[in-house]
Amino acid sequence: MMHKTLRTTSVGSFPKPESLQRMRVRYRRGDVSYEELKAAEREATERVIRLQERLGYDLLVHGEMERGDMVAYFAEHWQGFSESLPVRSYGNRYYRKPIVEGPVQGNPGLTVESWKLAQSFTQQPVKGMLTGPYTICDWSFNVHYPDRRALVLDLARVVHEEAKALEEAGAKFIQIDEPAISTRPEEIDLAIEAMGIVTEGLTAHTISHVCYGRFDLIYPALLDLPVTQLDLEAANGHFALLELLSRYPWPQDKELALGVVDVHSHRVESVDEVKAGIRRALELIPPERLYVDPDCGLKTRTWEEAEAKLTVIAEAVQQLRDEEGLS
Ligand SMILES: [Zn+2]
């Protein structure tokens, strides 16, 4: 059962067990079968679900054990992409930036199997997880489409088909991540138009996670993103986001999922500081429309850190429920 107010969720990725990471390397070398790799992913997914259930989370994620990078995963499974040489991202981390070299075509149902697997472990709803068209474009090289707009809008059609497949499989919550949209404020209208294509006609609850950037540069335009719920990081910016939100009335038809622990820090927040952040948010947004979660995916943290941070959120919410008499 989900609570009716002040619900808890997670953004997306969880830390991958070292044994699974080793197995992926061995699978690429041909030393491990596809079935063995899938069995390891299945075991890791169950562990992710069990942790969220044990902590009493309302809306669960599957943890993305089958994915490396959130854009490369789709590029590897869709037509029109090839893989480039490694590109440096942060510090000494490298990733392979996809190249769009032909018309993009999806593979509707690609994400259904991992969603179904996770959902089979729990009665709580599990989110279907997609990456948005704007972010896929922004994190790829384009040598086929005449401009970014043409690529983004064609990707929106493909992401929409995948969202439909999730919905038809039974997903009641579908998240379309757009971390890149806060990095180029001049393109916010394009990102909004593309999300309109993705969510058109869906009956599922739609969510979009945005992070990394300057929310002040895309606000209040961000409120026009056509999804039911915006999921925004706040802890990393010491909750300055709430000052921005306080300048405009929060839309009646939107929910906010507020990031209340920093995923880029080893430090585990105290229950009191998380409670203080949530209390400030409750002054702006009614508890029926407020979710809380970590700032971003947890894959950069160790399992112990991820568990500790999720535990702090669960405790903070439980105390607030008791103190405020929330159901
Ligand atoms: Zn993020």
Side-chain angles (χ1 to χ4, degrees):
M1 278 286 287
M2 280 178 66
H3 289 96
K4 291 193 172 60
T5 60
L6 195 57
R7 282 162 280 204
T8 44
T9 187
S10 294
V11 172
S13 64
F14 267 65
K16 284 192 184 66
E18 233 173 85
S19 56
L20 176 58
Q21 289 180 13
R22 278 196 302 270
M23 192 173 274
R24 283 169 77 108
V25 173
R26 292 172 61 210
Y27 171 71
R28 262 181 253 126
R29 286 201 306 247
D31 297 343
V32 165
S33 72
Y34 181 75
E35 287 68 29
E36 285 172 287
L37 176 66
K38 286 289 138 187
E41 286 176 3
R42 183 184 168 89
E43 195 180 306
T45 302
E46 183 167 5
R47 190 177 178 209
V48 167
I49 295 292
R50 294 285 171 250
L51 172 61
Q52 294 170 89
E53 281 206 316
R54 183 164 59 74
L55 295 176
Y57 273 65
D58 291 293
L59 178 55
L60 311 192
V61 295
H62 78 287
E64 302 177 16
M65 293 300 147
E66 78 288 11
R67 303 183 195 183
D69 175 81
M70 62 185 285
V71 167
Y73 172 75
F74 289 96
E76 283 161 17
H77 290 88
W78 288 349
Q79 288 172 40
F81 290 90
S82 66
E83 203 178 73
S84 84
L85 293 170
V87 172
R88 193 170 187 163
S89 58
Y90 304 103
N92 285 320
R93 297 181 74 141
Y94 287 79
Y95 74 104
R96 287 180 182 273
K97 188 168 176 175
I99 304 171
V100 181
E101 56 170 22
V104 292
Q105 280 303 332
N107 181 6
L110 169 68
T111 63
V112 166
E113 187 192 337
S114 50
W115 173 79
K116 271 191 174 163
L117 171 67
Q119 189 65 78
S120 74
F121 295 131
T122 181
Q123 300 294 316
Q124 295 297 114
V126 177
K127 299 181 195 177
M129 298 296 306
L130 303 174
T131 303
Y134 186 81
T135 297
I136 296 176
C137 167
D138 202 50
W139 294 0
S140 302
F141 295 113
N142 166 29
V143 296
H144 173 75
Y145 288 82
D147 52 33
R148 287 166 63 86
R149 177 182 168 79
L151 173 56
V152 170
L153 295 184
D154 209 24
L155 282 166
R157 173 186 59 79
V158 172
V159 178
H160 173 75
E161 288 168 1
E162 187 61 32
K164 284 296 278 185
L166 278 166
E167 187 175 274
E168 280 160 19
K172 299 278 189 284
F173 293 81
I174 299 174
Q175 181 165 313
I176 307 108
D177 285 331
E178 284 288 27
I181 68 171
S182 61
T183 56
R184 290 184 204 238
E186 69 280 10
E187 288 187 330
I188 186 70
D189 290 344
L190 173 59
I192 290 169
E193 182 181 356
M195 187 62 81
I197 294 169
V198 174
T199 58
E200 164 113 63
L202 296 180
T203 55
H205 208 87
T206 52
I207 302 166
S208 190
H209 167 69
V210 182
C211 62
Y212 289 134
R214 295 274 310 272
F215 290 133
D216 55 319
L217 298 178
I218 53 167
Y219 213 79
L222 181 62
L223 297 174
D224 294 332
L225 203 67
V227 288
T228 325
Q229 182 183 122
L230 289 173
D231 183 313
L232 308 176
E233 64 176 9
N236 183 248
H238 306 285
F239 292 91
L241 173 72
L242 295 176
E243 279 152 43
L244 184 64
L245 300 193
S246 70
R247 288 186 219 153
Y248 306 87
W250 184 258
Q252 295 281 341
D253 59 350
K254 268 204 170 41
E255 298 172 344
L256 173 68
L258 185 74
V260 295
V261 295
D262 188 351
V263 302
H264 299 296
S265 161
H266 296 290
R267 186 180 76 88
V268 177
E269 289 79 355
S270 71
V271 170
D272 282 344
E273 68 183 289
V274 169
K275 276 172 73 180
I278 298 172
R279 273 194 202 284
R280 286 178 60 194
L282 282 169
E283 288 167 17
L284 304 171
I285 293 155
E288 302 78 34
R289 284 189 275 138
L290 185 66
Y291 286 66
V292 289
D293 61 4
D295 271 357
C296 193
L298 291 162
K299 71 177 178 184
T300 58
R301 299 274 57 86
T302 65
W303 181 269
E304 290 70 27
E305 287 167 345
E307 181 168 348
K309 284 175 182 271
L310 291 172
T311 302
V312 166
I313 294 175
E315 285 181 12
V317 166
Q318 190 51 55
Q319 289 185 18
L320 280 169
R321 267 188 208 300
D322 295 343
E323 290 164 21
E324 307 288 324
L326 297 171
S327 56

